[in-house]
Amino acid sequence: MYRVVALLGPLVTPAPAHELYTARECETLAMEFTCGPSWAGGARRFDEIRKKHKIWALRSKYKTGFSPTEEAFHELRGQVCDGKVTPQHALNKYCPNYRPKVQFTPPDETDTYTQRDCATIEMLMEACRVSGKRIPPELTKEEQLTLSRAHVWLGARHESWSGASGFAPTCTQLFESKITGGEVLHRYCPNYRPSK
């Protein structure tokens, strides 16, 4: 019995440590590292990656619904948007030495947020404190729709808004008390006075 197990052991090999991505998939990932608002074809093309690469697949067994690979990607995107990692360095983790067609540009420092924009961000932060998700499932459908519209609205008005997927790591950090609401608000609205 032990000999059979010993013989079959070498036949079982672990999956490769890295995935191979097509140029189209690398462009999709590169677009996410621009830290701009969500783009029209982004969700559809991200779904293509999830279908082709099982390590990206959405599953209900995961705490957030995202795979650990996608969670790590969102965390890395947050670091890029915060200026801690360059977009090209981040892209190299998935597509080594790939040079994207999209141009990486830093956020526009002159992009100003109105009082209403800042109040909207404050509302989104409060929602994050409920469960750590940018749109908590504990809320009513109407409240969830309001939050979703707020993300879309900010993305349409401001290139520096990191969009729905970029706000997810910030949301988690707020929930886990790793950053304060004041730090998040200061990122977008340095002169805004919170309502509380």
Side-chain angles (χ1 to χ4, degrees), residues 36-194:
S38 299
W39 49 290
R44 182 176 35 80
R45 286 177 62 175
F46 228 89
D47 282 343
E48 290 172 10
I49 291 174
R50 288 184 189 116
K51 287 176 185 171
K52 184 176 177 189
H53 302 276
K54 297 301 179 200
I55 64 170
W56 288 83
L58 298 174
R59 298 244 167 41
S60 61
K61 70 178 181 179
Y62 300 127
K63 187 176 173 182
T64 61
F66 294 116
S67 69
T69 301
E70 192 161 348
E71 285 288 328
F73 176 81
H74 289 311
E75 183 67 33
L76 182 60
R77 184 178 187 274
Q79 291 176 2
V80 169
C81 296
D82 289 341
K84 296 176 182 172
V85 177
T86 67
Q88 187 61 54
H89 181 73
L91 184 61
N92 284 343
K93 292 185 182 249
Y94 300 95
C95 305
N97 302 319
Y98 180 78
R99 298 290 174 240
K101 294 174 189 167
V102 64
Q103 295 297 313
F104 296 125
T105 55
D108 182 7
E109 297 297 326
T110 62
D111 189 12
T112 56
Y113 285 73
T114 65
Q115 290 292 323
R116 183 176 176 193
D117 296 338
C118 296
T120 302
I121 293 170
E122 191 176 11
M123 175 190 70
L124 295 175
M125 289 186 328
E126 287 301 316
C128 289
R129 291 186 178 112
V130 172
S131 69
K133 297 177 183 166
R134 69 181 185 86
I135 301 180
E138 297 88 348
L139 300 178
T140 66
K141 292 292 180 193
E142 186 176 314
E143 291 168 327
Q144 291 175 354
L145 183 60
T146 299
L147 293 174
S148 179
R149 286 180 178 151
H151 280 286
V152 171
W153 184 69
L154 285 168
R157 290 174 50 84
H158 301 283
E159 285 190 30
S160 63
W161 177 249
S162 55
S165 61
F167 198 70
T170 302
C171 210
T172 303
Q173 291 172 341
L174 271 168
F175 181 70
E176 295 172 352
S177 299
K178 292 182 179 176
I179 58 175
T180 66
E183 291 172 312
V184 175
L185 270 175
H186 186 73
R187 221 182 266 173
Y188 303 101
C189 309
N191 299 320
Y192 178 70
R193 291 181 167 268

Side-chain angles (χ1 to χ4, degrees), residues 7-40:
L7 291 173
L8 291 177
L11 297 176
V12 179
T13 57
H18 64 285
E19 292 277 313
L20 297 177
Y21 298 96
T22 65
R24 178 181 168 92
E25 292 166 339
C26 289
E27 282 299 320
T28 300
L29 297 175
M31 285 296 293
E32 290 296 314
F33 289 131
T34 61
C35 297
S38 299
W39 49 290

